[in-house]
Amino acid sequence: MSRRKQIYEGKAKVLFEGSEPGTIIQYFKDDATAFNNQKKGVITGKGVLNNRISEYLMTKLNDMGISTHFIKRLNMREQLVRKVEIIPLEVVVRNTVAGSLAERLGLKEGYNLPRSIIEFFYKSDELNDPLVTEEHITAFDWASAQEMDELVSMTLRINDFLSGLFFGVGIKLIDFKLEYGRVFVDDQFKVILADEISPDSCRLWDLNTNEKLDKDRFRRDLGSAEEAYQEVARRLGVLPENTNN
Ligand code: TMP
Ligand code: ASP
């Protein structure tokens, strides 16, 4: 790896300064964590697969006019992205009840919601990413009301698009998490999609068998996590020949 400045190390990615101003290199690790870092492990080859899967999905979103931070994939584990000021929210979309929604409200997993739900979590490891409402978000200036409007309408479009895309390869998009950032263009701030979209940040169930093809295989010790990520990449047509690099 060439000498370059590390900006940040997260649980699943490392960020380096990019060669051009206003760019960042995202390096995808195989490290997996769950439950706010209480559970730690490695899913071999995950970084390579998430790099490809996120590249594929972000490119499609860019093509349909949704601005994302993605610029280009650099190699097996790295992609060049635009530098953004991260909005400190995890924006979760739910189409089917699962995970923390099931727990919080005592619901059975697998219930198809009559309409999709968007939830916001304030990004704070110390506070364990608490659920917040738009009123908290605007009151504490984490995002403006206008940014929230932009972000919600982008999120709904992304959900429609990704649901259809995954459906086409026999996968049900149960829920997923997005992160947004702001960039300064033409004298104003604009909201764009950041972070990644991968089996780390989505719940993906096989359409016919309901088999889990996502990070729940790691969170819940179901085994074959690596194979599940590979299966998602294979169905999307982006499975590389070798994932060990
Ligand atoms: P949850 O049911 O645990 O709230 O998760 C909802 C979705 O968000 C699920 O697809 C996994 C994703 N997610 C992340 O990407 N990062 C996180 O830290 C959490 C808690 C969930
Ligand atoms: N990635 C998060 C963590 O490290 C949680 C999760 O995805 O379950 O805690």
Side-chain angles (χ1 to χ4, degrees):
M1 228 184 285
S2 60
R3 247 167 223 272
R4 56 200 175 177
K5 201 169 152 217
Q6 182 173 318
I7 299 171
Y8 177 78
E9 175 152 14
K11 294 170 196 154
K13 294 191 288 294
V14 188
L15 304 182
F16 299 95
E17 235 166 41
S19 46
E20 304 287 322
T23 64
I24 279 187
I25 295 166
Q26 274 193 339
Y27 175 95
F28 289 76
K29 300 191 280 186
D30 285 349
D31 297 352
T33 69
F35 315 119
N36 201 14
N37 235 349
Q38 285 174 46
K39 182 179 168 87
K40 288 184 198 183
V42 168
I43 302 173
T44 309
K46 169 171 89 77
V48 172
L49 296 166
N50 283 356
N51 188 20
R52 293 275 176 144
I53 293 169
S54 201
E55 170 195 22
Y56 178 79
L57 298 174
M58 292 259 183
T59 302
K60 294 269 181 211
L61 290 171
N62 271 330
D63 288 349
M64 60 172 272
I66 290 175
S67 302
T68 81
H69 73 160
F70 182 79
I71 301 171
K72 64 174 177 183
R73 187 169 59 80
L74 298 171
N75 54 49
M76 292 289 270
R77 288 188 180 268
E78 296 178 331
Q79 51 181 243
L80 189 69
V81 299
R82 281 173 79 174
K83 192 173 191 163
V84 302
E85 187 180 284
I86 278 285
I87 295 174
L89 298 175
E90 302 212 333
V91 179
V92 170
V93 185
R94 303 185 184 274
N95 299 311
T96 300
V97 171
S100 73
L101 175 63
E103 266 178 49
R104 198 184 320 129
L105 300 182
L107 303 170
K108 212 166 145 263
E109 286 200 320
Y111 172 73
N112 289 324
L113 293 160
R115 44 180 288 193
S116 306
I117 295 176
I118 302 186
E119 293 175 342
F120 305 105
F121 296 87
Y122 177 52
K123 265 169 79 72
S124 163
D125 284 342
E126 301 82 72
L127 301 175
N128 215 354
D129 297 349
L131 179 69
V132 293
T133 70
E134 210 165 321
E135 292 188 285
H136 299 99
I137 295 165
T138 49
F140 297 114
D141 248 343
W142 298 325
S144 69
Q146 193 197 322
E147 284 174 332
M148 289 307 288
D149 286 349
E150 268 180 68
L151 177 159
V152 166
S153 76
M154 286 169 80
T155 300
L156 293 172
R157 281 186 71 198
I158 294 169
N159 184 38
D160 282 347
F161 178 74
L162 290 183
S163 295
L165 187 147
F166 278 117
F167 187 82
V169 296
I171 289 175
K172 193 166 163 187
L173 180 59
I174 301 299
D175 57 31
F176 60 101
K177 186 258 311 188
L178 299 174
E179 294 188 29
Y180 289 92
R182 45 178 87 84
V183 287
F184 198 64
V185 275
D186 299 332
D187 281 342
Q188 53 184 346
F189 284 106
K190 183 179 165 208
V191 173
I192 69 172
L193 185 67
D195 195 47
E196 69 178 277
I197 309 175
S198 72
D200 269 13
S201 59
C202 302
R203 282 198 175 88
L204 305 167
W205 294 3
D206 180 89
L207 207 51
N208 297 315
T209 64
N210 280 343
E211 188 190 357
K212 294 177 174 40
L213 299 172
D214 57 62
K215 200 168 123 183
D216 272 346
R217 300 212 70 86
F218 166 79
R219 291 191 192 97
R220 302 179 187 190
D221 294 318
L222 302 174
S224 308
E226 195 181 328
E227 289 78 5
Y229 283 65
Q230 281 174 1
E231 178 61 14
V232 174
R234 191 187 65 75
R235 291 198 197 182
L236 294 175
V238 297
L239 182 65
E241 278 178 12
N242 184 348
T243 56
N244 297 323
N245 301 53

